Amino acid sequence: MGTELGNYKTCVSARSTNKELLKSAQDGGIVTQLFAFALDEGIIDGAIVAVSKEFALKNPSKCMAFNPTLDDLEPWRSIPAVVSTKAELFEARGTKYNISPNVSLIKEATRSFGLDKVGIVGTPCQMQAVRKLQLYPIGARDVGASIALAVGIFCMENFPYQSILQLVEDHAAMKMEAVKKMEIGKGKFWVIGKRGQVVQLPLKVTHKYEQPGCHVCLDYVANLADISTGSVGSPDGWSTVFVRSKIGDSVWAKAMAAGCFETQPIEKVKPGLELVTKLTNEKITKNKATLEGRKTFGVGKALRNPYI
Amino acid sequence: MVDKSTVGHIHMSGCTGCLVSLADNYGGLLTILDRYADLVYGLTLADVRHIPKMDVALVEGSVCINDKLSVEEIKQTREKAAVVVAVGGCACYGNITRFARGGQQNQPAHEAYLPVGDIIKVDVYIPGCAPTPQLIRNVCVMAYLLLKGTKEQKELATNYLKPLMMAAQRGTTACFCDLMTEVINQGLCMGCGSCASACPVRAITHEYGKPQGVRDLCIKCGACYNQCPRSWFSIDVVSAYEAINEAIMAALQ
């Protein structure tokens, strides 16, 4: 096996054993279950997650005040928040498919939110940001050692809010308010309505709406998270889980011992690691080509390469 | 440990916040001074009047070019030190001293301040206002490994310090605008939020997942740009974060 999947100690297919949680989980409810367990055990005393308007209006003190004010947040717009109880955590379930700058709260979580042990969930780039600020804490005094659990989610690319708006309202012809769930899987972008209606868009349609900054990213499976997870590789309702760091290993072992998760060996499930590896390599190859293209973008002028 | 490196703290025009940050390593600072470094120069900390020869000079503050002594001392620092480290926003980028206009008692004519790199060549930057105790600590340990370590340790230290050396070569100005010109305009921003969290004056928010800066609040410290994972990022070094953190913590045990 190559190094494309990053370092990991264990890889399994898993889902939460909490049936209530699974009802409105994105896939196997891994992130929510992990944080719920970590809150119960005192491994973390709060977590930075992405929330939407309903949560923000109910818990304004948990969100960072942005402009426009919380009242003006559009449906499905995601913003970061710090949750410190299981009830709050459960309200934040599910993937929102638009950018939530979770790392923007990492210092504040240890300041006005008063957390000593912070959990954070994020995309691979956000895990890179977390590790950079632990190794090179330039504007993050006393933050690095407080990060107690960083959970990464697989990510091919993300979307600006306006892109999601255009995909849902123009392409899928659904009102944002009427959407129950969004999902990317089986080569399609799925929009599922509250009345049960389902619209599927070919992924090809979504490509031009992707955030351009994602096209230089060389990480699909959150190589730098303590534990990373995503639907790819596992059957419906299950998630693929990579346990990566010492922290991740310890938390995962405790959660398994407490019966939080039901697991299957990744070798036994379809489509399994083969698909994860394939998609990872596709992303890396495509984005390496983008980085290569940036070198000769202009006439004798290159675009900047962030990697050194 | 016999083979310590020699370190000095050179105080130019700064608020002493950087020195306080160094001291805020508490026990860690004592371990560094016990095992790895002898403090050979430092206002109030070492009873030495003239800048001696040293391995590493940690310079805090910008240089007031209207003050002969400051200019003289920063030049001496370059002559006497093998490695010059600019510690903090003022030494690296001018920071809040960029806004100085003079008129302050008892030296009202002291009005022009330049980052250290505009007067002498600087080898390493530790940006941030204030720079964090942890980054100062990491650089101290890595500088020691670079000067006195084994071959492998030297290689690790070189790789770790490389981006901070590149920052020193990059220039002496910083602003929220760097995020615009070097990251957002270059199509590299992915909206992680690092910049907003790094900003010491809360000048940065995120709107629709992208940073917006209140430029009148910006003090030009360079924290946002340097904390951004899309300004500079070494996949190899950051991927070894666990081992590097453990090595640093072990060095301070």
Side-chain angles (χ1 to χ4, degrees):
Chain A
M1 190 182 301
T3 55
E4 64 274 77
L5 300 178
N7 295 324
Y8 61 90
K9 299 175 196 298
T10 324
C11 178
V12 290
S13 188
R15 69 177 178 195
S16 166
T17 47
N18 182 337
K19 296 280 173 297
E20 199 50 43
L21 191 163
L22 282 181
K23 272 187 196 163
S24 55
Q26 190 70 21
D27 300 290
I30 306 295
V31 181
T32 308
Q33 178 67 72
L34 268 174
F35 281 154
F37 173 73
L39 278 171
D40 274 348
E41 293 297 305
I43 295 166
I44 58 171
D45 39 28
I48 305 169
V49 298
V51 302
S52 45
K53 185 177 182 176
E54 298 76 32
F55 179 96
L57 288 182
K58 221 159 120 191
N59 312 281
S61 66
K62 300 285 179 178
C63 307
M64 189 175 250
F66 285 119
N67 272 330
T69 54
L70 301 177
D71 281 328
D72 300 332
L73 286 176
E74 303 89 334
W76 283 90
R77 169 100 174 265
S78 77
I79 60 162
V82 174
V83 295
S84 45
T85 65
K86 280 210 285 190
E88 289 165 2
L89 176 68
F90 275 42
E91 282 179 60
R93 275 172 297 189
T95 307
K96 278 110 195 150
Y97 288 108
N98 65 100
I99 306 155
S100 173
N102 282 8
V103 186
S104 65
L105 273 180
I106 197 96
K107 184 157 70 179
E108 205 56 42
T110 69
R111 306 295 203 270
S112 55
F113 290 99
L115 306 187
D116 293 322
K117 291 169 278 183
V118 185
I120 181 166
V121 56
T123 49
C125 57
Q126 291 177 331
M127 294 299 112
Q128 292 180 341
V130 165
R131 297 319 176 190
K132 180 175 174 180
L133 75 78
Q134 283 184 309
L135 217 46
Y136 297 99
I138 290 156
R141 181 185 164 126
D142 300 344
V143 174
S146 305
I147 299 169
L149 183 59
V151 181
I153 41 187
F154 301 176
C155 177
M156 192 58 83
E157 69 280 309
N158 203 342
F159 298 96
Y161 178 77
Q162 292 85 347
S163 288
I164 284 296
L165 184 70
Q166 203 148 331
L167 281 167
V168 170
E169 300 214 330
D170 298 354
H171 288 270
M174 243 195 247
K175 278 220 170 301
M176 288 297 267
E177 295 88 323
V179 176
K180 186 179 161 206
K181 189 177 180 181
M182 293 182 213
E183 210 174 342
I184 290 178
K186 303 183 183 75
K188 301 267 192 306
F189 182 81
W190 303 78
V191 188
I192 300 151
K194 287 178 180 159
R195 284 190 285 111
Q197 72 275 44
V198 177
V199 181
Q200 53 177 58
L201 302 171
L203 273 186
K204 202 168 161 245
V205 170
T206 67
H207 291 328
K208 75 169 188 181
Y209 297 109
E210 293 162 10
Q211 166 173 248
C214 299
H215 295 155
V216 298
C217 173
L218 302 175
D219 187 352
Y220 175 57
V221 282
N223 294 354
L224 299 181
D226 290 316
I227 295 173
S228 54
T229 185
S231 64
V232 172
S234 287
D236 283 352
W238 292 71
S239 299
T240 303
V241 177
F242 290 100
V243 181
R244 299 185 178 282
S245 66
K246 283 180 187 161
I247 289 179
D249 205 27
S250 139
V251 175
W252 185 256
K254 285 181 199 160
M256 285 300 293
C260 290
F261 296 104
E262 197 184 334
T263 65
Q264 308 180 62
I266 193 72
E267 299 77 21
K268 295 273 167 63
V269 300
K270 292 277 174 210
L273 272 190
E274 202 182 315
L275 181 63
V276 184
T277 310
K278 179 175 164 266
L279 291 182
T280 303
N281 282 323
E282 273 177 26
K283 173 170 179 177
I284 294 174
T285 308
K286 181 167 75 74
N287 291 353
K288 272 190 174 162
T290 306
L291 282 163
E292 207 49 45
R294 288 174 66 92
K295 287 185 190 164
T296 52
F297 193 83
V299 180
K301 300 272 181 187
L303 294 179
R304 220 172 60 77
N305 183 345
Y307 300 111
I308 53 175
Chain B
M1 203 166 287
V2 207
D3 203 12
K4 286 178 162 184
S5 54
T6 49
V7 175
H9 176 266
I10 320 292
H11 205 312
M12 292 282 127
S13 298
C15 70
T16 320
C18 305
L19 183 60
V20 172
S21 265
L22 171 70
D24 281 346
N25 277 298
Y26 304 109
L29 175 64
L30 297 179
T31 310
I32 288 173
L33 293 176
D34 264 353
R35 291 194 208 153
Y36 308 114
D38 274 327
L39 190 70
V40 294
Y41 185 79
L43 280 180
T44 74
L45 295 177
D47 187 15
V48 180
R49 192 159 173 78
H50 298 290
I51 295 173
K53 202 167 153 45
M54 63 185 104
D55 294 324
V56 182
L58 304 171
V59 184
E60 161 175 0
S62 58
V63 184
C64 175
I65 59 170
N66 314 119
D67 180 48
K68 237 174 125 180
L69 184 63
S70 294
V71 176
E72 190 51 40
E73 285 193 334
I74 200 65
K75 287 182 180 169
Q76 272 179 24
T77 302
R78 184 65 275 184
E79 279 168 30
K80 300 285 179 74
V83 178
V84 175
V85 182
V87 184
C90 297
C92 298
Y93 301 115
N95 197 29
I96 196 79
T97 67
R98 290 276 187 202
F99 301 88
R101 300 292 182 269
Q104 197 170 302
Q105 292 303 338
N106 61 350
Q107 296 286 355
H110 285 187
E111 60 174 31
Y113 297 81
L114 284 174
V116 177
D118 282 347
I119 311 287
I120 61 169
K121 181 177 166 289
V122 176
D123 303 299
V124 178
Y125 271 10
I126 301 182
C129 182
T132 64
Q134 294 81 23
L135 185 58
I136 299 175
R137 172 198 74 192
N138 292 1
V139 171
C140 284
V141 172
M142 289 296 172
Y144 172 81
L145 294 180
L146 185 67
L147 294 170
K148 315 277 183 186
T150 61
K151 194 167 159 273
E152 291 77 32
Q153 287 171 328
K154 278 191 170 126
E155 196 181 311
L156 167 71
T158 308
N159 292 337
Y160 178 88
L161 292 171
K162 191 178 163 197
L164 301 174
M165 292 159 118
M166 288 170 66
Q169 284 162 18
R170 181 177 163 265
T172 55
T173 57
C175 181
F176 167 79
C177 304
D178 296 348
L179 283 182
M180 292 201 288
T181 57
E182 301 288 298
V183 181
I184 303 167
N185 295 167
Q186 286 276 334
L188 294 170
C189 177
M190 40 50 186
C192 67
S194 296
C195 49
S197 136
C199 180
V201 295
R202 299 173 195 249
I204 304 174
T205 58
H206 277 68
E207 284 171 32
Y208 293 103
K210 286 292 193 303
Q212 294 295 340
V214 183
R215 294 190 304 285
D216 276 355
L217 285 181
C218 173
I219 56 169
K220 299 184 175 287
C221 70
C224 55
Y225 177 75
N226 283 292
Q227 194 69 79
C228 170
R230 292 288 168 83
S231 59
W232 47 264
F233 192 85
S234 165
I235 294 175
D236 289 344
V237 173
V238 182
S239 295
Y241 75 95
E242 256 186 314
I244 295 175
N245 273 332
E246 279 168 15
I248 291 169
M249 295 323 284
L252 296 177
Q253 278 301 307

